[in-house]
Amino acid sequence: MASYSGLRILTEGLTGNRGWKPAWRKPEPKPAYDAIVVGGGGHGLATAFYLASIHGITNVAVLERGPIGLGNTGRNTTIVRSNYLLPENHHFYEHSLKLWEGLEQSLGYNVMMSQRGVLNLYHSDAQRNAYTRRGNAMRLAGIDAELIGREEVAAMCPLIDLDNARFPVLGGLLQRRGGTARHDAVAWGFAHAADARGVDIIEHCEVTSMIIEGGAIQGVRTTRGEIRAPKVGLAVAGNTSVLCAMAGLTVPVESHLMQAFVSEGLKPLIDQVITFGAAHFYISQSDKGGLVFGGGLDGYNSYGQRGTLPEAEHIFAAGASLMPALKRVRALRSWAGVMDMTPDASPYICLTPIQGLTMTGGWNYGGFKATPGSGWCHAWTMAKQEPHRLNAAYTLTRFKEGRMLDEKGAGPFFWMQ
């Protein structure tokens, strides 16, 4: 598989770009593999990449029912951060952020990682105290965090209406190492790198049922035939409960929609990622000039990838409240991602009661930023059939055991969704 470099781009540019080859192969599925990863999004492709690159397991198939990267990987607002409160979460997400920081070198692919900073605004003394607590917890764990005042917020982004009558801005919690990455490129980069290590990426191959014998997974049945493997990992954000049901498992997950939007291209206006917690709105500007923004859930269970007009209206109103200048900007595109909501807003990367069957899911609002960390931990769990310490807390049984990871600020209100 060809590698990418500045010299290669220059050479191809001078010779009519006729030397480029597909970034990954289109193999036919084999009857059996050492491991199968169900789901060709970022998490599934990352799992396959780390299985091959770290654990030496290269006889792997990634099964995707459509083209890769058209699920939640391509339906988010591309934010990368590790500003979590609870130790189980901030250690995991910090590991993921460190993987992000070296991802382009690991994959040999430009994922357009931009550490432009993530700024969470606060609007009251109570919110400031909560952010102080979160920032102190991060700093104690060696993660960068700064609590800044309204003057610094104004200097960073003059567009913000600091004196908003309903939600005045008093300051913010800033993580400078946070930022954005190009979601499509992340999927393509992992696919390219996994394929180069021998992984078969099989598109248009929908899993229809599981093969379970003697309490152990033996493979899957698909629209392209039966494929056997002693290890199967599920990485199907938004459809975790559907795939688990095929294995006879009922998991504590609800599927919800979350919308996002892109505006017309504009000159540089917003340097950071800015979140407006009072109305649940977040915004950044892409390298092409479009403003990328989103908000909360649509508020009911669905697998549709469209979204509703009432939530769209709420998001536009929140944006205009935070930055009145946005009233004159036109939105060009919108989409909705299907999210697995867990009761405590923390994910699952774990074994299941079925031997050989593992899963990564339940990513709530945090799926994109967790992509490399999820794949890294899931690959460890698949290879060794035991969790790494970074995902040891992300079990299916924690609710039964009374060990909820109730991460404030991430939307852990299952009863409200």
Side-chain angles (χ1 to χ4, degrees), residues 146-370:
E146 300 172 41
L147 196 71
I148 64 174
R150 55 186 275 135
E151 294 77 14
E152 292 165 283
V153 171
M156 282 185 174
C157 186
L159 289 179
I160 295 177
D161 179 12
L162 297 176
D163 298 316
N164 183 292
R166 189 174 181 188
F167 304 117
V169 176
L170 303 183
L173 179 65
L174 174 65
Q175 184 181 29
R176 294 188 187 274
R177 290 169 54 241
T180 62
R182 175 71 189 180
H183 44 20
D184 297 325
V186 172
W188 300 335
F190 272 118
H192 172 74
D195 178 88
R197 287 161 176 78
V199 172
D200 283 356
I201 299 169
I202 302 170
E203 298 170 280
H204 304 286
C205 183
E206 183 175 1
V207 172
T208 56
S209 64
M210 304 278 179
I211 304 171
I212 301 171
E213 298 169 356
I217 192 78
Q218 299 297 331
V220 295
R221 298 183 184 90
T222 77
T223 52
R224 297 178 66 175
E226 184 176 294
I227 306 174
R228 290 198 166 247
K231 297 178 179 178
V232 175
L234 305 181
V236 288
N239 286 279
T240 297
S241 56
V242 175
L243 269 293
C244 284
M246 293 181 186
L249 302 176
T250 301
V251 294
V253 158
E254 286 193 355
S255 296
H256 289 266
L257 301 178
M258 189 163 66
Q259 295 187 62
F261 303 84
V262 176
S263 80
E264 60 188 323
L266 302 168
K267 292 182 178 179
L269 290 174
I270 300 172
D271 292 336
Q272 295 80 23
V273 177
I274 296 172
T275 76
F276 178 33
H280 204 168
F281 174 82
Y282 34 88
I283 188 168
S284 63
Q285 190 163 16
S286 75
D287 292 340
K288 293 191 294 186
L291 300 178
V292 183
F293 54 97
L297 303 178
D298 272 19
Y300 64 92
N301 305 108
S302 174
Y303 290 105
Q305 293 181 311
R306 296 177 298 275
T308 62
L309 288 176
E311 182 58 25
E313 182 181 19
H314 170 80
I315 293 170
F316 291 149
S321 177
L322 176 67
M323 299 177 183
L326 298 186
K327 294 177 182 177
R328 304 183 64 180
V329 175
R330 290 170 292 188
L332 293 187
R333 295 187 287 121
S334 70
W335 61 86
V338 184
M339 298 192 312
D340 294 336
M341 291 294 293
T342 63
D344 61 357
S346 293
Y348 308 117
I349 311 176
C350 59
L351 305 170
T352 72
I354 298 170
Q355 183 181 344
L357 181 65
T358 59
M359 59 181 286
T360 174
W363 287 99
N364 305 280
Y365 296 87
F368 182 72
K369 68 181 76 64

